Amino acid sequence: MHNKNKENTNFIESIIKKIVIEGKSIERIQTRFPPEPNGYLHIGHAKAICMDFGIVKKYGGICNLRFDDTNPVKENIEYINSILKDIIWLGFNWGKIYYTSDYFQKLWNFAIQLIQAGKAYVDEQSSKEIAEQKGTPNQSGINSPYRDRPIIENLDLFNKMNQGEITEGTMVLRAKIDMSSPNMHLRDPIIYRIIDHHLHHRTGNKWKVYPMYDFAHGQSDYFEGVTHSICTLEFAVHRPLYDWFIDQLKIFHPENKDYRPSQYEFNRLNLTYTVMSKRKLAQLIRDNIVNGWDDPRMPTLAGLRRRGYTPESIRNFIDKIGYTKFEALIDISLLEYSIREDLNTKAKRVFVVIDPIKLILINYPKEKIEMMEITNNPGNDLEGTHKIAFSRELYIEKEDFMENASKNFYRLTIGKEVRLKNAYIVKCIGVKKNKSGILKEIYAEYYPQTKSGLKESNRKIKGTLHWVSIKHSIPAEVRLYDYLFTVKNPSEEKNFYEKINPNSLTIKTTARIEKELENASPLENFQFQRLGYFNVDPDSTKNKLIFNKTVSLKESKKNKFKFKQIKNNK
RNA sequence: UGUCCCAUGGUGUAAUGGUAGCACAUCUGAUUUUGAUUCAGCCAGUCUAGGUUCAAAUCCUAGUGGGACAACCA
């Protein structure tokens, strides 16, 4: 409490710590990360990954990866590959890779045992009838007319279900538990359903029946020897069922007397201005709101990677938000802080003008070229410098000039001096406009003795601008991103589609970049000075360079003033 | 007409009966050849009411508020 370096310990870690430190009953820790391969991993999964893998990294043990592939209708190999890639990218290693489908035979056998023990039965009612009999949370259910079907008949029907003799949707296997339980999940849950005419990505057409989540998850944990089955809060209500199946399993496996997996639940990640459910994300893709799972606006790991987020920044972010049982909504600014914090130390500083306007230095020799030196990272001299060409005709940002500026405007305006970063101090002496009054060129004088490095350059100048030489700069496309939604919590909207931000993507084809960027490699991070952090899009080619804006530089309130002014100008 | 879970500054998260701390955000100042960074600082909190105790954010009871559960999804 008084130690500044003390790290925060979440409640799940406390449980583990107790085991490790006190040497309690189990000395072995085994966790698992169990994604369903029905979509790409998002930053909410990163939270689970950091928990599952992180806990064994820290306290010793094994974390395996298990693909929870019990529903061939939604799952495929593309998703499996993306999941493998994203976990590695995040910086974690699994012990073994398992598939729930590896246990289909074992689960089948277990189901048979349950039937034989009179604890499971085949129900041939419609899903609607079954739902009606289930009652409501406030009202207890009633027994199915098939509940007391003879064991022999159950065995026979269950076999037929798996042999393609029964039409999909007409029969299910249910566990016989308690139709009046206050916990809905204990009201004779369906444990097997028929899925026909869908090839499973691993078992093909071998099975016609597939176990439901509740009948697969805990059992898989048990088969693998998982000790701590950590998941999100919405599964807390499943825990009694999880334990019930483990109890049954232990009856048939008396040899594992001292072993029992336990489920622990933490709060899932909610982020402002986005949605986190795979279903909703898939919907955005389907309706072309975004361009796929790796669209830089998506909260997926693939999207964040393409946007320019680093694995370190995501891990640090997860570290900051913690794990509790409180349904929290995390402000996206914390994520943005995390990537700025990381990139500030890593990203090379370069000059890029996104919205160019010509700046002509009328007293600078026409053919003269000077190579100016730019510090790659002002926070770290070891990263050195690079050179950029300077000449008479330059581009600066349109935003950096204003004809009628208030005194809060530090940048260029007629009659005022400004510093061209790493070059000269210049004074604006006039502009040229076309017939419609649109600004075409800005004219300035430079002071030769104010070149960076010279004594005279130490003069205090309030404004400093970035620039590129027209002749020496290269055109590029820059993609600017905004939040996907216009409200903080789109998930709580009746129709979250109404809150989609129509301006979440702005493509700028006018950008001019310094030559240093010509050979940048895909995903490489940069700071475009005064603009923000950007990275190279994977689609970028030598002939068409494309950059993504990761995040702006921090905007103080003073800085925000400039945006107001610009809006008013339009 | 239920069962379970949760409640600490604006946001998130620590404090495991003994000094309510940290981060982000906001704001103020200093530094600055990025209106960035860095540095210094300000603002601001235990849902309510009882109870137990020398001592309660922490334990108990009730209330209030929020969430989860009624897929042949996971």
Side-chain angles (χ1 to χ4, degrees), chain A residues 21-136:
Chain A
I21 291 170
E22 298 176 11
K24 279 232 171 121
S25 51
I26 351 169
E27 65 289 337
R28 186 175 69 82
I29 298 168
Q30 185 172 325
T31 62
R32 96 276 90 111
F33 176 61
E36 183 191 11
N38 68 341
Y40 280 55
L41 260 25
H42 55 59
I43 191 165
H45 292 107
K47 181 174 177 179
I49 289 170
C50 288
M51 168 61 81
D52 292 327
F53 290 92
I55 210 108
V56 302
K57 212 175 204 176
K58 190 163 177 187
Y59 294 97
I62 295 170
C63 177
N64 296 313
L65 175 60
R66 181 171 73 232
F67 289 104
D68 212 350
D69 54 351
T70 58
N71 186 353
V73 178
K74 295 167 145 191
E75 298 150 6
N76 69 46
I77 291 183
E78 179 201 345
Y79 295 136
I80 290 188
N81 291 332
S82 76
I83 289 167
L84 294 171
K85 180 179 174 182
D86 288 346
I87 296 171
I88 293 169
W89 177 74
L90 240 200
F92 293 97
N93 301 300
W94 49 83
K96 290 181 181 161
I97 298 181
Y98 294 118
Y99 294 82
T100 303
S101 53
D102 291 342
Y103 312 128
F104 280 171
Q105 186 63 53
K106 275 180 153 177
L107 292 168
W108 167 271
N109 296 346
F110 179 39
I112 296 289
Q113 285 172 318
L114 282 182
I115 294 171
Q116 284 168 338
K119 291 175 179 170
Y121 61 96
V122 172
D123 198 329
E124 51 190 279
Q125 298 180 98
S126 68
S127 62
K128 202 181 161 198
E129 285 169 314
I130 291 175
E132 278 165 5
Q133 286 166 7
K134 213 163 224 175
T136 69

Side-chain angles (χ1 to χ4, degrees), chain A residues 365-379:
Chain A
K366 272 195 172 137
E367 302 305 326
K368 190 174 177 182
I369 297 163
E370 285 182 271
M371 296 308 289
M372 302 302 189
E373 196 166 38
I374 298 184
T375 307
N376 288 334
N377 187 339

Side-chain angles (χ1 to χ4, degrees), chain A residues 399-456:
Chain A
E399 289 189 358
D400 284 339
F401 176 83
M402 194 182 285
E403 251 190 299
N404 306 304
S406 75
K407 58 176 185 281
N408 291 332
F409 188 76
Y410 299 173
R411 286 161 272 173
L412 204 57
T413 186
I414 295 171
K416 237 181 87 177
E417 288 178 349
V418 79
R419 184 190 302 279
L420 296 179
K421 191 170 165 65
N422 299 309
Y424 295 97
I425 296 172
V426 302
K427 182 180 183 178
C428 179
I429 56 166
V431 297
K432 181 173 128 190
K433 292 181 185 174
N434 69 5
K435 283 176 201 153
S436 3
I438 304 289
L439 188 66
K440 295 313 259 185
E441 289 176 355
I442 302 168
Y443 302 108
E445 287 173 341
Y446 89 113
Y447 305 109
Q449 67 281 37
T450 61
K451 185 174 177 181
S452 284
L454 298 181
K455 241 183 214 164
E456 180 69 7

Side-chain angles (χ1 to χ4, degrees), chain A residues 256-301:
Chain A
N256 294 324
K257 219 176 170 186
D258 298 325
Y259 165 66
R260 161 183 279 279
S262 301
Q263 180 181 297
Y264 304 87
E265 310 92 8
F266 63 83
N267 61 343
R268 62 193 302 158
L269 170 59
N270 299 301
L271 259 187
T272 55
Y273 299 107
T274 190
V275 291
M276 209 63 91
S277 95
K278 268 195 231 172
R279 206 200 84 236
K280 285 176 181 160
L281 294 175
Q283 198 180 340
L284 294 173
I285 295 165
R286 191 198 65 207
D287 296 341
N288 291 315
I289 307 295
V290 297
N291 301 313
W293 289 100
D294 70 341
D295 187 297
R297 292 165 288 180
M298 292 283 268
T300 52
L301 295 180

Side-chain angles (χ1 to χ4, degrees), chain A residues 461-498:
Chain A
I461 296 286
K462 194 83 170 166
T464 303
L465 309 187
H466 62 281
W467 48 269
V468 292
S469 165
I470 293 180
K471 209 193 283 177
H472 303 91
S473 61
I474 302 164
E477 176 175 315
V478 173
R479 298 174 181 170
L480 308 174
Y481 302 102
D482 196 356
Y483 302 136
L484 260 177
F485 294 90
T486 57
V487 292
K488 273 199 170 178
N489 195 1
S491 295
E492 73 179 6
E493 297 290 322
K494 273 183 220 118
N495 181 1
F496 75 108
Y497 258 51
E498 287 172 6

